[in-house]
Amino acid sequence: MLNLYDTATREVGPFTPIKKGEVSIYVCGATVQAAPHIGHIRSAVNFDILRRWLNMSGYDVTLIRNVTDIDDKILQKAAQEKTPWWALAMKYEREFTAAFAALNVLPPTYEPRATGHITQMIELMQILIDNGSAYAPGNGDVYLEVRKLHRYLTLSGQRIDDLMPATDVDAASSIKRDPRDFALWKAAKPGEPSWPTPWGDGRPGWHLECSAMAHTYLGESFDIHGGGLDLIFPHHENEIAQSEAAGYGFAKRWLHNAWVTQSGEKMSKSLGNSLLVEVILQNVRGIELRWYLGSAHYRSMLEYSQTALEESAVAFRRVENFLKRAAEITGSLPKCEVSTSFAAAMDDDLAVPVGLATISENLRLGNQAITDNDVSEISKNANEIRGALEILGCDPFDKNFTDFRSADLSQAMDGVIALALKERTSARERKDFAASDAIRDGLLALGITIEDTAQGPRWSIMEKS
RNA sequence: GGUCGGGUGGCCGAGAGGCGAGGCAAGGGACUGCAAAUCCCUCUACACGGGUUCAAAUCCCGUCCCGACCUCCA
């Protein structure tokens, strides 16, 4: 039985989907205005682990992850770069997609773009205006009237009057009925992209698209809404406000992932401490970065350091190496099996760190079994490790991580290295250790490690870092 | 000002009243021609001050420190 945290109640409780056997999830994806940093990708990895665990638990999961491809920053940046806004948005959307793929994040069931759902946004605004929750002051803007909502700010636990007064210079002369009313729709300024509406030409305001798209693909109520911690207010409060005012039940449960930090501070472009995915991937493989980002609990801050990342990568290679050896010894790839201890950890609000401890136990027992040449024990532990890695999205045998060209190359190399190892073995047999060590050192200089195992010598390519 | 989250050994990172999660690093040992890999053993913690309790890293009160959000951040 899966237990999950809910930001709305701040408690961990049993998860029961609306429809038996099905889970609907909406995750706030990227606003494609810059290249993805590892914080963005951590969010995707966390929700991917949730999704994989739900799948493994027998649920049919529908996951919608949006792309916000129109907003102030996109327009602003496009103007700076003298690029059409849609070209800029597309460029970064591709970068996000590439980063997700490099980290083996499963593609969402659907990935709707804001600009493709203007019709649905207009319909939603019409409902809100008709029922008196929203108003159009006549300049082309449309606002939601927050004072009319009963449950506004219950997710973040704030009170309207406690919010810091808007620093907006126009606040005094504002056409808003209350300074806290937020824009569903913004009138187009000259030169800005716009779409026609009954209230004037304009563009989406405060992430109206998330409410509209969640409704379009998941219906009036759905099981889980996810996103980063910093979206709780105002973004998610506003989504709730828009959707509930329209009469929708909206999300039953809220999950928020914590950040990747550096020196305790949140990673962010504006702080200048963001680490781009493509830069990190020059030093570690995607599977290793994923292992690192997934290794902390999703609600805990992950304090980034180069050292921690590298150590994590080494730890992963140890697990990977065991699986490869197990496959060599048993003559077949391990199967994916989920141990009861790993399952218990995942069922407890996705306690990945506890799950990793069970993998360590499997690893120790599995390595011991290799020493003892106990094939069934090797298989058992290898299967359980592979099953756990599959859920974490870090299965080294996953075809998304397997490069077939390098697999062919490695076969050819195997033959070549075997020739050298044959020489080394005969040198060792005649106790000519100078000769045998020269061969080993020569291979090492090429980045090839030789290990003498009970089953004979074994070679592997050293990973960088 | 309001709201929320933190401070755990050299490092990373769980736990949330009761046998010291786990990993990395360090030291010792086994194995090995030497290595590598692996296994075994050992060590080091709960920001500070009070309180509750048979028992507190965990609950309560206070203090200090760090971070986040407060109208277009994952």
Side-chain angles (χ1 to χ4, degrees), chain A residues 150-191:
Chain A
H150 315 294
R151 299 193 340 115
Y152 191 49
L153 303 180
T154 50
L155 185 65
S156 57
Q158 301 174 99
R159 297 184 320 162
I160 292 182
D161 295 313
D162 288 341
L163 296 182
M164 261 186 165
T167 48
D168 192 6
V169 284
D170 300 331
S173 61
S174 176
I175 46 180
K176 294 195 263 185
R177 292 180 188 168
D178 184 286
R180 278 90 175 182
D181 289 352
F182 59 89
L184 300 173
W185 193 257
K186 302 176 99 165
K189 294 184 189 115

Side-chain angles (χ1 to χ4, degrees), chain A residues 30 34-45 92-105 260 262 267 269 273-290 292-293 304 309 401 464:
Chain A
H37 60 61
I38 59 175
H40 295 121
I41 294 303
R42 179 190 183 190
S43 179
V45 166
Y92 290 124
E93 183 181 328
R94 283 196 200 96
E95 289 195 19
F96 270 88
T97 302
F100 291 142
L103 270 77
N104 198 23
V105 173
V260 178
Q262 283 193 91
M267 187 168 293
K269 225 173 146 43
N273 65 346
S274 64
L275 295 164
L276 298 183
V277 175
E278 63 166 334
V279 173
I280 301 268
L281 288 182
Q282 287 163 7
N283 292 318
V284 296
R285 295 174 295 159
I287 197 170
E288 291 164 351
L289 177 56
R290 177 167 177 134
Y292 174 64
L293 293 176
Y304 174 86
L309 172 61
F401 286 126
K464 49 194 174 179

